[in-house]
Amino acid sequence: MRFASLGSGSRGNATLIEHGATCVLLDCGFSARETERRLARLGKSGDELSAIVITHEHGDHINGVGALARKYDLPVWATAGTQAVDRLGRVDTLHSFSSHQAFALGDLQVQPFPVPHDAREPCQFVFSDGARRLGILTDVGCATAHIVEQLSGCDALMLECNHDAELLQNGQYPPSLKRRVGGNQGHLSNAQAEALLRRLETGNLKQLVAAHLSEKHNTPALARAALSAVMGCADDWVGVIDQDDGLDWREV
Ligand SMILES: [Zn+2]
Ligand SMILES: [Zn+2]
């Protein structure tokens, strides 16, 4: 199994997870044209995708889903709550899944789990090829015991490090937005990501990347320092997904 990111942050998120003949696009927050450009950078084209899976209905995760699904005739998977918001436009093949029930997409096993975030029915995922597990967690306001259980023992983790709490507090956002981002249904700070990682079983962990960094209220160095403090590794062992450049393929 391998994964890559087309980019991550408030201006758009999209992740590729591939195993065997199956290549899943998790979220598509970029326009269809921009997504095609970023796919090409990773050696992929839209017609090589198997499906699009959606975490939740915020624009930075679904802006390009409808157009891409129509152009390449891709099935789209989303919870009933996400579908109820109806921001996808016409999608010919739309599947529902329970955020508590694993399902198969070709050669990949997909285990969703619900997360606290200000959307209708947001969830995040563990993808598995049957042997290895890749845990993905972004857009989550706080850690829960269920999240800890799901992400423990993963071989690779993509973990939200949205903001540094002090940079957010001292930043230019209006108070209401600061409360939303920093709240229990907002986004994980570096310190929250660090505390969550401390609660996980990490004996199998061989890949760790920080995702969904705020461009205004965080820096790659701060995110790396928070996560490497837990792992006792060199800072540069921790990957950081760039909003523009994404993340190149990594084998799990
Ligand atoms: Zn987001
Ligand atoms: Zn969100």
Side-chain angles (χ1 to χ4, degrees):
M1 180 168 58
R2 63 176 189 159
F3 70 102
S5 171
L6 282 66
S8 180
S10 59
R11 290 189 288 116
N13 295 272
T15 306
L16 286 172
I17 304 100
E18 184 178 61
H19 176 58
T22 305
C23 186
V24 168
L25 183 65
L26 177 65
D27 289 333
C28 187
F30 306 103
S31 71
R33 176 175 293 197
E34 181 63 14
T35 301
E36 288 169 328
R37 193 183 71 80
R38 290 174 184 238
L39 282 171
R41 201 163 65 188
L42 292 162
K44 287 281 162 190
S45 64
D47 48 24
E48 291 175 277
L49 299 177
S50 313
I52 303 175
V53 177
I54 305 176
T55 58
H56 65 299
E57 70 274 17
H58 288 160
D60 58 321
H61 298 263
I62 66 159
N63 277 339
V65 170
L68 203 73
R70 284 187 286 281
K71 180 160 182 185
Y72 294 101
D73 196 20
L74 297 171
V76 175
W77 291 74
T79 61
T82 299
Q83 292 183 26
V85 183
D86 201 17
R87 283 187 194 143
L88 297 175
R90 181 179 63 78
V91 171
D92 287 335
T93 313
L94 189 55
H95 298 283
S96 300
F97 60 85
S98 155
S99 53
H100 287 281
Q101 201 154 9
F103 57 97
L105 283 177
D107 295 321
L108 283 169
Q109 291 294 318
V110 187
Q111 174 66 64
F113 55 92
V115 294
H117 188 57
D118 55 358
R120 283 287 186 92
E121 194 182 353
C123 59
Q124 296 292 322
F125 298 90
V126 174
F127 289 86
S128 172
D129 60 5
R132 303 256 166 104
R133 297 168 72 234
L134 162 68
I136 296 180
L137 182 75
T138 70
D139 298 77
V140 55
C142 56
T144 64
H146 190 55
I147 291 172
V148 171
E149 192 180 307
Q150 294 295 320
L151 295 183
S152 276
C154 281
D155 299 273
L157 277 178
M158 182 184 294
L159 202 55
E160 170 163 63
C161 287
N162 181 258
H163 58 276
D164 172 86
E166 206 174 306
L167 290 180
L168 177 65
Q169 259 338 296
N170 298 332
Q172 301 296 310
Y173 278 179
S176 60
L177 190 51
K178 286 181 184 174
R179 277 196 300 276
R180 198 226 125 204
V181 171
N184 279 343
Q185 293 196 302
H187 292 274
L188 281 192
S189 69
N190 294 336
Q192 285 176 299
E194 179 181 339
L196 168 62
L197 188 59
R198 274 189 208 288
R199 293 170 65 185
L200 302 181
E201 232 176 78
T202 54
N204 296 332
L205 195 61
K206 290 171 284 292
Q207 302 275 356
L208 177 60
V209 296
H212 218 302
L213 270 71
S214 164
E215 292 175 294
K216 293 189 177 78
H217 307 125
N218 209 354
T219 68
L222 287 171
R224 281 198 170 97
L227 300 186
S228 65
V230 182
M231 300 306 295
C233 61
D235 279 14
D236 61 5
W237 186 77
V238 176
V240 173
I241 304 179
D242 188 78
Q243 176 73 83
D244 294 319
D245 298 336
L247 181 84
D248 203 358
W249 287 104
R250 289 189 172 212
E251 293 287 335
V252 182

